[in-house]
Amino acid sequence: MRYGDFASICERSAVPVCRLFGNAVLPSCYLNVYSAKSALFVNLPDFVISIIAFFFIAYLAFRAHRKIDAVGRREMTLLLSFFCIMLAFNIAGADLIHGSSLVNKASIASVRLWLGVVNTALVVSFFWALILFGAVGFQIMADGSLKSMLTIIGTSLIILISMGYIAADTALGISDGLKPKPSDPLYSPGVFTIYLVFPLVAIVIFGLLQMTIVIKFLSARLPMVWLLCAFICFAAGQAIMFGASKKMCESTNRRIDGAFFATLLDTAAMSCVYGFWSAITVDDSNVYEEEEYKF
């Protein structure tokens, strides 16, 4: 597989970013579609696990928000909320199709394409936010301060809009500069870099930042177990999604594919990041009085 080519990736698994290329390539194995009135569940297992993951991560965000004295509680709450938004768009864009007699296939395809654009931009901006969250422990800016929160939110929005434009330009040819050539419709080095390479770079940077904090400022090494588990879960999820999804789909008679396990393991990785953060921070408040509970 050459750098920038999505042909083999999109043929093996129904990755949301593949919707940017329309029908240039489709997964060789489709999951069974289930219908309920005007809704079509194109990936029911992933739909179910995404909903469970959404509420679980939302619960972790609530717990993080209640750690009044913990360093970076607002930033952690923001990061977990960001992950919930990604899960919501994953449900809307990859697992569920709303249709009726008044909605034609072209309209559905257009909606899914734009949801693919948003999903691509969200992934990139989330990993950017992960890098910034990794730097919170160094206290470059006071954690939880307006400056810290605005930096994360503001720069993440800039990344979201910028990456959204790149994805939209690739899909629609707005400027004719990024849209793949008709002779090579699945070749997009730009999208390949931001969607597949940048997240890996962000994870490495985040890991190095956290290891530096643990080694330099903390005496305990047990939190490193949480960090290692997060890396293992994420790596396993991506390996299954990109490497085993097709075989899984075929071996289960199109009942389940790699997306289910990718969502499950990504959620587990995010939970481990929360566990790591909780292990290296101290929260001395055990009582949350109503008058003290402020964001």
Side-chain angles (χ1 to χ4, degrees):
M1 182 185 73
R2 60 175 172 160
Y3 187 90
D5 192 0
F6 282 90
S8 59
I9 293 175
C10 296
E11 189 272 336
R12 291 196 302 264
S13 57
V15 186
V17 71
C18 294
R19 293 196 294 273
L20 300 181
F21 306 102
N23 294 323
V25 66
L26 298 173
S28 58
C29 183
Y30 283 97
L31 292 184
N32 297 320
V33 177
Y34 300 92
S35 61
K37 295 185 179 180
S38 63
L40 296 177
F41 297 93
V42 296
N43 193 332
L44 185 59
D46 191 51
F47 176 81
V48 173
I49 196 63
S50 292
I51 291 178
I52 295 173
F54 178 90
F55 286 106
F56 177 68
I57 296 297
Y59 168 72
L60 292 184
F62 176 72
R63 282 183 59 96
H65 183 47
R66 287 179 64 90
K67 287 179 172 288
I68 303 298
D69 294 334
V71 174
R73 73 176 181 96
R74 292 180 177 177
E75 289 82 357
M76 172 53 79
T77 302
L78 181 63
L79 189 68
L80 292 170
S81 299
F82 211 152
F83 190 81
C84 283
I85 294 174
M86 285 205 307
L87 286 171
F89 273 92
N90 182 61
I91 293 170
D95 300 333
L96 180 65
I97 297 177
H98 291 285
S100 69
S101 59
L102 300 178
V103 180
N104 56 40
K105 292 183 179 180
S107 298
I108 293 176
S110 178
V111 170
R112 285 174 61 79
L113 185 148
W114 280 105
L115 286 171
V117 168
V118 175
N119 179 276
T120 301
L122 279 172
V123 168
V124 180
S125 56
F126 169 80
F127 281 100
W128 170 256
L130 182 67
I131 294 176
L132 296 184
F133 172 74
V136 169
F138 291 93
Q139 293 292 295
I140 299 172
M141 291 178 284
D143 67 280
S145 65
L146 181 62
K147 186 177 181 180
S148 175
M149 297 297 289
L150 287 180
T151 297
I152 296 176
I153 295 173
T155 57
S156 295
L157 283 176
I158 292 173
I159 295 294
L160 179 69
I161 295 171
S162 301
M163 297 305 105
Y165 174 79
I166 292 175
D169 198 354
T170 301
L172 304 172
I174 298 173
S175 67
D176 294 328
L178 295 175
K179 188 174 178 62
K181 298 177 180 178
S183 59
D184 204 359
L186 292 164
Y187 181 67
S188 178
V191 174
F192 194 94
T193 300
I194 65 173
Y195 190 84
L196 296 177
V197 177
F198 175 72
L200 297 178
V201 174
I203 289 172
V204 171
I205 294 174
F206 174 77
L208 291 175
L209 290 173
Q210 301 316 295
M211 286 190 289
T212 301
I213 290 174
V214 171
I215 294 172
K216 187 174 182 180
F217 301 109
L218 303 178
S219 57
R221 297 293 181 263
L222 187 59
M224 294 294 291
V225 176
W226 284 106
L227 198 60
L228 178 61
C229 288
F231 290 144
I232 292 174
C233 288
F234 178 79
Q238 301 311 297
I240 293 173
M241 183 66 180
F242 293 108
S245 185
K246 178 181 176 181
K247 292 182 179 180
M248 196 174 296
C249 176
E250 294 172 343
S251 62
T252 59
N253 293 321
R254 301 192 302 146
R255 292 189 180 91
I256 194 170
D257 65 1
F260 172 85
F261 292 99
T263 300
L264 177 64
L265 289 168
D266 285 350
T267 303
M270 199 64 220
S271 303
C272 290
V273 170
Y274 171 85
F276 170 79
W277 168 79
S278 183
I280 66 172
T281 56
V282 178
D283 179 22
D284 294 328
S285 50
N286 298 315
V287 180
Y288 301 95
E289 299 294 338
E290 184 175 353
E291 62 269 20
E292 295 179 350
Y293 183 56
K294 298 178 181 179
F295 186 80

